[in-house]
Amino acid sequence: MNNQDQKDSRRDFLKKTTAMAALTISSPVLVKAGQHDEKIASFFEKMDLKIEVNGVAHQLSVEPRVTLLDLLREQLHLTGTKKGCDHGQCGACTVHVDGKRINSCLSLAVMNDGKKVTTIEGIADGDNLHPMQEAFINHDGFQCGYCTPGQIMSAIACVQEGHANSREEIQEFMSGNICRCGAYPHIVDAVMEVKKGGKSS
Amino acid sequence: MDKNYFFEDTITADEKRVDGVAKVTGAATFSAEHTIPGLTYAVFVCSTIARGTIKNMVLAKAKNAPGVIDIIYYLNCPVVPGYTSEIKEKNQRERVLNGLNVFADNIVYSNGQPIALVIADTWERAVYAASLVKVEYIEEKPETDFDNLMQKAEAPGWGGTYKRGDEDAYKKAEVMIENEYSIPAETHNPIEPHATVAVWEKNDKLVVYDKTQGPKSTQGDLALLFGLKRENIQVITEFVGGAFGCALRTWPHTPAACIAAKKIGRPVKLVLTREQMFTMVGYRPISWQKIGIGASRDGKLTGITHHAISNTSRYEQFSESIVDPSQNLHDCPNVNTSYKTLALDINTPIWMRGPGPATGCFALESALDELAYKLNMDPIELRLKNYAEVHPQNKLPWTSKHLKECYELGREKIGWHNRPSVPGTLKENGMLTGYGMGVGVFWAGRSSATARGTLYADGMFVLQSAISDMGPGTTTAMVSIAAEQMGLPPDKIRFELGNTDFPTGPTQGGSGSTTAVGTAVTLICEAMQVSLKEMAIESVPGFKNYKPEELDYKNGKVSAKTNSSTSISYTDIIKQSGKPELQVSKSTESFAQRDKYAMNSFSAHFVKLHVHPVTGVITLKKIVAVADCGRVISETTARSQMVGGAVGGIGMAMHEETLMDHHSGRYINANLADYHVPVNADIPAIDVLFVNKPDNIISPTGAKGIGEIALVGVAPAVANAVYNATGKRITRLPITPDKLI
Ligand code: FES
Ligand code: FES
């Protein structure tokens, strides 16, 4: 937090200097100065971020406008988490932050300072798949596979939240994850199997 | 899910998708996800008017924004060799057949058209800089309102116009109905957005990671555009995150990324936003249809007249086979059809799952249902009474047709006997209850394909073809075919695709991958077995005195027919031959007996639903999807295709509508919150049944296509069930509650 306060004040300082310049310098020069400031500001405006992803601690410096989703995909090269809409409307980007499912496209990376993030790459135990991954394969809970990481992260949370007590309840609590290939009935079959703690027919 | 079949012979029920592990672990690499050194990020600036010209673009602010490398637009776009032949006089509106030549000129044809590309070192910086570009236009009033402009439609010059027997015979029939049907634009919206990563390895060597249903056709398009030889362009498409038709052609973003990468001398990644998925990669066209059907009092059809109009863009002609099902799905002596297209100031449409018949069957199958009520006849009986035993148009036999079995299986499974013959008379728990059915049809021929198979001494059998798999499970089906043919376990077989360095395969569309590539794989397996026998005779001492016809190949082993102890495994044959591997390539021609046979896949969909009597909310209770798709090669993936098609059909019937503001010519619901697609809670139990009788004429695989018939016929089944429940005939999709109160 301390760190962030400092950053905030630096940014304010830059803004103020620009504003002061506006009072004294004629406009063409002002435009130049503005651009210059912007470049400096962008340098200063990176923020420190401590984040644990799939058990690995990262110490990063990121622009505050970078979403958690883009941090994962573009900077950490964890592309298992998918971008389908970037607006919190499809669920393809679902990850767990401190054990809760969120749409990572709706969370700025810097909002997750000090938190533990789990992505699709972090749920298997070596070569042993997570039971939900197994169940999705057994029930063919996908076709193209693009929504699948988000579905699986959502499904694990759905069971943990206690929202998997019937087909209807699973359908309701899995409706934030769109599958355009239409694997829905098979996704519900998979969640049912894991909920029951074993294979279902 | 239900496991009933008419035929159960060749299905291996425990079969799993071969790329399943990659897909559930996040290891599957989609086009935007390859790690490439020195990558830059490109973001489109799009037009905010639907028709006019660009007067000026103010770029200074954007150019000076942090991290910006370049901005490309019509005034500084490098010469694209393939453009020149197409470009007419500047400012002259001309339809060109190759689509939009991105950045070629300052003409705006549609709202959301890409007009500039900002390239920066990070995606965020490119997005921000793109927001700083200011565009001045000379604006013209756009024409986008299909309903009010229909009278301007013109015949496209091919397809749709047809007549047999008397024109408009239905008008003189004992019993006749007439109705009009409207379907709005529907947007494919695969969850993976289109993405292109362009890397120029040399001045004349281009590598492109691209979301495409046809790597080879993308390669061909880029070769033409950039004036390169095909072999200088490699297109890589390892995984496709759904497409349903929208990746059937090369859209402007692909050349745009290539142009940019060349201009800045660095790799460029361009991923479309969800909004751009509405304005740049097509949609199912808006359509209007009018059908008249007449019958004798006992239900024999005497005349069908079917007129259709669908939209195209101002810069391209796009047409679909909407009226075809009326010509040949049911037996009728007098049929006439017409088809026109209407050019609007909107982006160009593209085929979407079940293109043509999905639209046409909504009208035809709704109309037949309406006629059945007027005849006081069961809708299934009406279809049986007019069952076409031979193709009504050319009187040719079908390679196979088991639509009757589809009716029987579905009727039983849905509980058709519970259907009230008088609409609006059945209630369950206070809900109006209805049953409906609809028929689906799609062309099922076979296109050409080439594949290569390599058998290695370590036991692996690797097959390769330059196709892509947007989700139906082509990889799994090919492994299944090869495993059966070679008698090997599936884990010894790998099917590699999505790379233009492999032998040419067809574009994935029209449900043709399995029959085409599957035939090539079958031929490879047969040739492999012949070669293995010859190699055994040549290099294995105990086989020297045998002739090939005295040997048998079975389950990975070559044995003497008369002496089963003389036997050797294929791995040992390869080892003893001293060669590292055995390689065979095979091509198949397209199936060309159109003068002898008619070729179609068929489906019948059955729906049971509830309608709330006050709010009009529809709750689907059950769907039964029955397919005549020939032999089922891979039960797991075939079942998923049928379920997915039913879900897509539910979207068409009840949810999907791309809405436009006609003042600005801009889509107003270009996002996944406002453009409704079915979610998990919308979907009832779906029972899938296969007739599963092989069609050995179309291809030795026994398969016919499945992907399109999975959707065609669903929307009319829903509409017919709604009528059965409420007595309201909804002819304008989607069927939303407001239309029922
Ligand atoms: S990408 Fe985050 S919800 Fe769609
Ligand atoms: S598997 Fe393709 S979107 Fe769900």
Side-chain angles (χ1 to χ4, degrees):
Chain A
M1 278 297 107
N2 229 345
N3 213 341
Q4 192 162 344
D5 290 343
Q6 275 178 19
K7 288 277 155 69
D8 282 349
S9 62
R10 273 192 209 128
R11 200 178 339 176
D12 283 345
F13 170 76
L14 283 166
K15 276 192 197 136
K16 274 176 211 145
T17 44
T18 310
M20 272 157 56
L23 295 173
T24 52
I25 307 170
S26 62
S27 65
V29 186
L30 173 65
V31 174
K32 262 230 125 84
Q35 286 154 6
H36 191 61
D37 280 358
E38 199 163 3
K39 285 192 175 157
I40 297 170
S42 76
F43 173 75
F44 281 112
E45 281 189 5
K46 283 206 171 178
M47 293 173 65
D48 291 338
L49 171 64
K50 266 194 207 144
I51 191 166
E52 190 183 309
V53 182
N54 300 330
V56 180
H58 295 271
Q59 190 108 39
L60 304 162
S61 173
V62 299
E63 287 187 16
R65 62 185 166 188
V66 174
T67 64
L68 178 57
L69 174 59
D70 289 320
L71 177 82
L72 292 169
R73 283 174 65 83
E74 303 299 336
Q75 299 189 32
L76 302 180
H77 302 293
L78 292 169
T79 54
T81 306
K82 305 301 182 194
K83 185 185 282 194
C85 69
D86 218 14
H87 285 65
Q89 298 168 341
C90 75
C93 63
T94 306
V95 299
H96 296 177
V97 175
D98 290 343
K100 290 208 169 66
R101 53 172 161 171
I102 67 157
N103 287 335
S104 60
C105 69
L106 288 187
S107 180
L108 296 173
V110 293
M111 291 159 64
N112 297 282
D113 195 37
K115 296 194 177 156
K116 287 189 168 79
V117 178
T118 307
T119 72
I120 191 73
E121 290 94 343
I123 56 169
D125 181 7
D127 279 347
N128 292 327
L129 297 181
H130 185 282
M132 194 63 82
Q133 292 172 310
E134 287 279 4
F136 266 68
I137 293 177
N138 290 341
H139 293 277
D140 207 40
F142 50 86
Q143 286 198 65
C144 76
Y146 195 79
C147 75
T148 312
Q151 300 278 2
I152 290 174
M153 297 312 286
S154 220
I156 293 171
C158 180
V159 173
Q160 279 166 0
E161 292 158 8
H163 288 143
N165 297 307
S166 66
R167 284 195 82 88
E168 293 69 33
E169 197 183 18
I170 293 167
Q171 285 192 274
E172 197 60 38
F173 282 87
M174 287 298 291
S175 277
N177 290 80
I178 295 175
C179 176
R180 191 58 162 151
C181 296
Y184 298 128
H186 298 173
I187 291 169
V188 179
D189 291 344
V191 182
M192 292 287 281
E193 175 185 310
V194 173
K195 166 70 185 173
K196 286 193 199 126
K199 293 222 164 203
S200 68
S201 63
Chain B
M1 292 290 103
D2 205 274
K3 295 255 176 195
N4 285 346
Y5 304 100
F6 216 59
F7 250 81
E8 230 158 345
D9 51 1
T10 51
I11 290 169
T12 45
D14 278 342
E15 173 208 37
K16 289 169 191 161
R17 212 172 267 270
V18 296
D19 48 11
V21 172
K23 287 176 176 176
V24 302
T25 55
T29 312
F30 293 83
S31 295
E33 298 174 347
H34 296 265
T35 306
I36 290 164
L39 190 62
T40 65
Y41 295 79
V43 168
F44 274 131
V45 176
C46 296
S47 67
T48 55
I49 65 163
R51 180 181 174 132
T53 45
I54 300 164
K55 199 167 96 189
N56 190 21
M57 272 203 209
V58 186
L59 302 177
K61 248 186 145 179
K63 271 190 180 153
N64 282 311
V68 171
I69 297 163
D70 205 347
I71 301 176
I72 300 173
Y73 67 124
Y74 69 97
L75 285 181
N76 68 358
C77 181
V79 173
V80 180
Y83 280 4
T84 45
S85 54
E86 297 295 341
I87 293 182
K88 309 286 182 308
E89 290 249 295
K90 281 247 176 311
N91 292 328
Q92 186 193 337
R93 274 172 200 284
E94 276 286 350
R95 288 193 198 177
V96 288
L97 273 171
N98 280 349
L100 186 78
N101 287 331
V102 67
F103 312 139
D105 55 34
N106 63 342
I107 304 174
V108 176
Y109 295 96
S110 66
N111 212 314
Q113 172 184 321
I115 53 175
L117 191 70
V118 178
I119 307 119
D121 58 350
T122 71
W123 180 72
E124 289 80 7
R125 287 171 152 187
V127 171
Y128 176 63
S131 75
L132 300 174
V133 174
K134 293 280 169 284
V135 187
E136 292 165 26
Y137 302 97
I138 300 167
E139 202 173 340
E140 293 168 44
K141 196 175 152 24
E143 291 185 334
T144 59
D145 189 351
F146 183 89
D147 289 348
N148 286 320
L149 293 161
M150 271 191 329
Q151 69 285 355
K152 290 194 181 178
E154 293 166 10
W158 63 85
T161 310
Y162 172 78
K163 188 170 90 134
R164 71 167 173 262
D166 298 337
E167 185 151 333
D168 290 344
Y170 78 97
K171 289 183 175 163
K172 297 183 213 108
E174 289 171 6
V175 182
M176 68 96 140
I177 59 110
E178 220 179 52
N179 220 330
E180 292 180 33
Y181 304 83
S182 295
I183 302 178
E186 296 161 8
T187 309
H188 306 63
N189 274 315
I191 301 301
E192 182 204 18
H194 281 246
T196 305
V197 178
V199 187
W200 288 88
E201 290 187 340
K202 285 190 229 136
N203 200 27
D204 62 350
K205 171 83 175 95
L206 174 63
V207 179
V208 181
Y209 302 85
D210 192 46
K211 171 170 181 155
T212 172
Q213 288 170 242
K216 277 283 175 184
S217 81
T218 301
Q219 180 196 40
D221 288 344
L222 293 176
L224 276 178
L225 273 173
F226 294 101
L228 295 174
K229 292 199 187 100
R230 261 183 182 267
E231 54 267 32
N232 285 21
I233 298 174
Q234 186 185 20
V235 177
I236 297 170
T237 313
E238 282 179 22
F239 287 92
V240 177
F244 320 108
C246 65
L248 275 170
R249 63 176 288 187
T250 306
W251 298 103
H253 64 271
T254 302
C258 300
I259 292 168
K262 183 138 203 197
K263 186 158 190 272
I264 69 165
R266 285 174 67 178
V268 167
K269 168 149 98 179
L270 173 54
V271 184
L272 299 193
T273 64
R274 182 53 57 183
E275 188 179 3
Q276 290 165 357
M277 292 293 289
F278 285 77
T279 60
M280 287 186 205
V281 293
Y283 51 91
R284 191 193 298 284
I286 311 163
S287 63
W288 168 91
Q289 300 175 73
K290 183 173 177 186
I291 287 199
I293 305 189
S296 58
R297 227 169 278 289
D298 64 350
K300 183 73 201 81
L301 297 181
T302 56
I304 303 177
T305 298
H306 189 169
H307 303 294
I309 300 174
S310 66
N311 81 291
T312 183
S313 68
R314 190 76 68 184
Y315 53 97
E316 268 183 291
Q317 180 60 272
F318 175 83
S319 62
E320 283 194 336
S321 315
I322 294 175
V323 294
D324 290 29
S326 290
Q327 297 163 7
N328 51 42
L329 182 51
H330 304 289
D331 191 45
C332 179
N334 306 297
V335 175
N336 59 293
T337 64
S338 79
Y339 174 63
K340 290 178 179 174
T341 59
L342 172 66
L344 296 173
D345 297 308
I346 316 180
N347 52 315
T348 308
I350 189 72
W351 300 285
M352 181 168 172
R353 203 167 190 180
T359 301
C361 280
F362 168 62
L364 176 65
E365 294 298 295
S366 294
L368 276 178
D369 196 68
E370 192 176 342
L371 181 69
Y373 284 99
K374 207 154 180 195
L375 288 162
N376 200 14
M377 199 170 172
D378 183 300
I380 299 176
E381 295 310 319
L382 176 62
R383 286 167 176 85
L384 287 171
K385 177 123 195 163
N386 297 286
Y387 195 79
E389 299 288 356
V390 293
H391 195 271
Q393 199 172 329
N394 49 30
K395 307 292 178 217
L396 294 175
W398 267 282
T399 53
S400 67
K401 178 178 178 181
H402 303 288
L403 187 53
K404 259 185 199 160
E405 288 96 318
C406 293
Y407 295 158
E408 288 314 314
L409 288 168
R411 181 212 294 261
E412 180 71 28
K413 194 80 210 163
I414 196 80
W416 191 251
H417 58 277
N418 294 317
R419 170 185 174 274
S421 52
V422 180
T425 55
L426 180 65
K427 279 203 177 183
E428 282 179 2
N429 305 322
M431 294 291 165
L432 295 164
T433 304
Y435 293 78
M437 62 89 66
V439 182
V441 62
F442 207 81
W443 180 79
R446 192 184 87 212
S447 60
S448 58
T450 308
R452 177 166 60 218
T454 313
L455 211 46
Y456 292 94
D458 68 357
M460 278 309 286
F461 181 27
V462 179
L463 290 150
Q464 296 170 321
S465 185
I467 58 168
S468 67
D469 181 358
M470 61 177 154
T474 311
T475 317
T476 304
M478 291 310 115
V479 168
S480 174
I481 288 173
E484 193 186 313
Q485 295 278 327
M486 296 298 285
L488 297 176
D491 62 0
K492 285 270 173 260
I493 299 165
R494 200 163 67 233
F495 184 80
E496 297 178 344
L497 42 51
N499 189 327
T500 47
D501 285 354
F502 299 153
T504 303
T507 294
Q508 187 171 59
S511 305
S513 297
T514 299
T515 49
V517 188
T519 301
V521 168
T522 305
L523 295 179
I524 286 171
C525 294
E526 286 168 5
M528 284 270 172
Q529 294 170 21
V530 172
S531 297
L532 284 168
K533 289 178 195 168
E534 287 167 355
M535 281 165 79
I537 294 167
E538 209 180 290
S539 354
V540 182
F543 285 81
K544 282 236 155 24
N545 299 323
Y546 285 97
K547 294 197 180 93
E549 56 272 21
E550 293 165 346
L551 299 177
D552 239 352
Y553 172 91
K554 219 177 169 191
N555 298 335
K557 285 199 171 89
V558 171
S559 323
K561 280 182 183 167
T562 49
N563 176 7
S564 60
S565 61
T566 306
S567 177
I568 182 166
S569 73
Y570 70 99
T571 49
D572 285 337
I573 296 175
I574 295 170
K575 277 180 205 147
Q576 296 197 23
S577 74
K579 290 181 190 134
E581 79 237 344
L582 170 60
Q583 191 170 83
V584 175
S585 289
K586 283 285 169 190
S587 298
T588 67
E589 293 304 310
S590 56
F591 180 69
Q593 296 189 304
R594 285 167 197 262
D595 51 336
K596 284 204 188 127
Y597 296 103
M599 294 165 273
N600 290 103
S601 293
F602 298 94
S603 63
H605 289 92
F606 296 79
V607 172
K608 178 191 177 186
L609 51 74
H610 283 172
V611 180
H612 192 286
V614 180
T615 63
V617 168
I618 302 169
T619 308
L620 297 171
K621 300 308 285 181
K622 186 174 180 153
I623 294 205
V624 176
V626 197
D628 166 20
C629 56
R631 185 170 79 99
V632 174
I633 305 281
S634 152
E635 182 196 339
T636 302
T637 57
R639 181 170 292 284
S640 285
Q641 280 207 73
M642 288 302 289
V643 168
V647 172
I650 291 167
M652 178 181 186
M654 297 170 58
H655 301 277
E656 298 183 38
E657 180 168 24
T658 315
L659 293 162
M660 176 155 287
D661 163 47
H662 297 304
H663 293 288
S664 59
R666 184 179 307 162
Y667 295 125
I668 54 178
N669 61 346
N671 61 73
L672 288 175
D674 298 314
Y675 181 88
H676 290 182
V677 298
V679 298
N680 206 319
D682 294 318
I683 301 306
I686 301 173
D687 284 334
V688 176
L689 297 107
F690 298 108
V691 174
N692 198 26
K693 285 186 178 166
D695 184 320
N696 290 321
I697 300 176
I698 292 178
S699 90
T701 65
K704 302 194 275 186
I706 187 168
E708 326 292 326
I709 52 152
L711 182 142
V712 181
V714 177
V718 172
N720 295 342
V722 166
Y723 181 78
N724 189 241
T726 64
K728 291 199 172 103
R729 174 69 58 194
I730 308 301
T731 58
R732 196 179 184 94
L733 296 180
I735 308 171
T736 43
D738 54 297
K739 292 175 180 153
L740 292 173
I741 46 175

